[in-house]
Amino acid sequence: MIQVVNNQSLKSYNTFGIEAKAKYFVIVENEKGIKVALELAQKNQWEIFILNGGSNSLFINDFEGLVIKIETKGISYKIENDFAFVTAQAGENWHNFVLFCLDHNFGGLENLSLIPGNVGTSPMQNIGAYGTEIKDSFFSLKALNIQTHEIQEFTNADCEFDYRESFFKNEGKNRFIILEATYKLTTKNHVLNTSYGAIEEELKRQNIENPTIKNISEAVIHIRQTKLPDPKILGNAGSFFKNPYICLAHYQGLKEKFPNTPHYPMNQEVVKIPAGWLIEQCGWKGKRIGNCGVHEKQALVLVNYGGATGREIFELSEKIIADVYEKFSINLQREVNIIY
Ligand code: EPU
C-alpha cells in the first residue's frame, strides 16, 4: 500500500530547488499510509523526516533516513452561527485552501494569500503576512503522536503560537505529524485588516474604497508578486530570517548611530526591527555569491540562481548573520528549517 523509493532526488520537493537525496522516500496519501510508513521506519530504525510543501526547508546534506512526503487531500466545513469551521488535510496546498475559503465567502485568511507551503505546516510556524497570523483564525488540529501512534487534538492555546513559533517547533518538535487543521472563519461581518501600509496603498491605487475579502486577497497577491520571487522561477524559501526583537535600550543606542532605523514597538520594552533593512544596510541586498544570493527586491529572501547547494546558501546566511552582528550587535535567527 505504500511504495518506498531508494535514493530519491528531493530537488522538486523543496522550493529552494536544492539537489539533495533521500535514502528512502515514500509518498503517503492517507492516515493509514502515514502509520505504515512510521512502522516501517521504526522497524528498520530509520530516521524520519516529514516533508510537506518543502517551502521552509534547506537540505544541507543527503538525508540518510526515510522522507515521508505528506500528500493527504480534502477540505470540508460546517457552519455554526455566523462561523465556518473549515478543515483541510495536511497535504492541501495553502493557497488553494485560501482560494476555497474565498470562493465560499469565508473571511479571515485573505491576507495570507499566496504563501507557499501546505496546510499541515501552517501551524508549525504560525505563518503570517500583512498584519495577520494564522493564530488569529486557527481553531484546532489533529496530529499523530510519532511514539504512541495515538491521534491527539490541539486547540489554539495548546499550539502556543508566537511570532513564527509554535509548540511544534519547540517541545513538540519531531514528536507529531500534523494530519489536519481547522480554521474558524467568518461567514458575514468580515473583520478586514487593511492597516498594513502596502495593502492600503494597493487598494487606493485600484480605487477600491469598500474592499471585499476577495479585493484584499487580490491586493496581497499583487504585492507579493511584485516583491517576492516565485519559487517556481527562482528557488527560495520566503523570508530566510525572522525579524529580530530587541530591548528598548538597545534600540535607543542604535537610533543614536542610525537615526533612520525602522522599528515597530511590540510593547513598552520590546521593539521589532525589520531584518530586511539590517541586511540591506550591510550591503547585501541584490548581492550574488556563486549560484546563490540575496534577492534584489527583498533582502530577507535568499535565492538559488540554479545549482546552488544547501551548504552554499547556509554559508551565505552565516556571512549575513556575522555582518549584521558586527554592525548592529543583533543576532539574526533563521526562520528556515535547516536539515543537516
Ligand atoms: N526593508 C528594507 N529592505 C528590504 C526589505 C525590507 O529596508 O530589503 C524594510 C523596510 O523598511 C520595510 C520593512 O523592512 O518597510 C518591512 O518590509 P516588508 O513589508 O517587506 O516585510 P518584512 O518584515 O521584511 C515580513 C514577513 C514576510 C511577509 C511580510 C509582509 C517575516 C520574517 N517576514 O517581512 O513573510 O510577507 O512581512 O507582511 O516576518 C515569510 O515569512 O516567508 C514572508 C515572506
Side-chain angles (χ1 to χ4, degrees), residues 73-309:
K73 303 279 183 213
I75 305 178
S76 61
Y77 64 89
K78 62 174 190 227
I79 301 206
E80 271 174 31
N81 301 320
D82 292 342
F83 293 99
F85 292 81
V86 192
T87 300
Q89 297 306 301
E92 281 288 343
N93 172 272
W94 174 262
H95 184 59
N96 286 344
F97 172 60
V98 173
L99 292 179
F100 175 95
C101 296
L102 289 167
D103 282 346
H104 289 75
N105 192 35
F106 300 154
L109 301 179
E110 53 283 354
N111 293 44
L112 304 176
S113 300
L114 212 62
I115 294 185
N118 286 355
V119 170
T121 32
S122 59
M124 287 283 229
Q125 54 152 0
N126 179 25
I127 57 173
Y130 307 104
T132 301
E133 290 181 323
I134 62 113
K135 75 169 167 50
D136 305 330
S137 51
F138 176 88
F139 186 69
S140 66
L141 64 79
K142 279 189 187 154
L144 183 72
N145 184 316
I146 290 175
Q147 278 310 313
T148 64
H149 291 203
E150 273 166 350
I151 292 179
Q152 287 176 231
E153 188 146 351
F154 291 76
T155 63
N156 188 312
D158 294 335
C159 293
E160 297 172 7
F161 291 127
D162 206 340
Y163 168 59
R164 295 295 194 275
E165 288 291 342
S166 76
F167 169 80
F168 299 99
K169 270 182 93 174
N170 295 290
E171 305 98 274
K173 195 172 177 182
N174 298 333
R175 287 174 48 206
F176 296 92
I177 300 176
I178 295 173
L179 300 174
E180 60 176 44
T182 300
Y183 285 84
K184 182 181 175 182
L185 304 174
T186 48
T187 55
K188 54 165 94 154
N189 304 326
H190 301 308
V191 185
L192 305 183
N193 183 356
T194 57
S195 56
Y196 204 90
I199 296 188
E200 259 176 12
E201 283 160 30
E202 181 55 26
L203 292 172
K204 218 171 179 182
R205 196 184 67 83
Q206 294 185 27
N207 286 323
I208 297 172
E209 276 183 16
N210 295 306
T212 62
I213 52 176
K214 271 204 170 152
N215 292 146
I216 294 179
S217 167
E218 281 157 13
V220 167
I221 290 172
H222 179 81
I223 300 162
R224 290 190 76 96
Q225 282 175 337
T226 46
K227 260 194 151 181
L228 295 166
D230 179 350
K232 287 193 197 99
I233 298 166
L234 192 60
N236 76 89
S239 301
F240 196 89
F241 303 97
K242 292 201 250 183
N243 285 327
Y245 286 27
I246 60 172
C247 68
L248 193 61
H250 188 166
Y251 165 67
Q252 278 159 348
L254 275 185
K255 205 172 81 172
E256 279 175 24
K257 260 174 108 181
F258 309 98
N260 299 329
T261 306
H263 61 286
Y264 309 96
M266 292 288 109
N267 57 41
Q268 304 237 310
E269 286 139 39
V270 177
V271 179
K272 181 165 92 174
I273 310 288
W277 183 84
L278 296 169
I279 297 167
E280 186 174 346
Q281 296 306 303
C282 293
W284 277 108
K285 194 171 185 172
K287 248 196 186 171
R288 177 173 176 160
I289 297 189
N291 294 325
C292 61
V294 179
H295 189 51
E296 56 186 11
K297 292 192 190 134
Q298 167 53 290
L300 206 44
V301 177
L302 304 190
V303 295
N304 174 7
Y305 287 104
T309 62

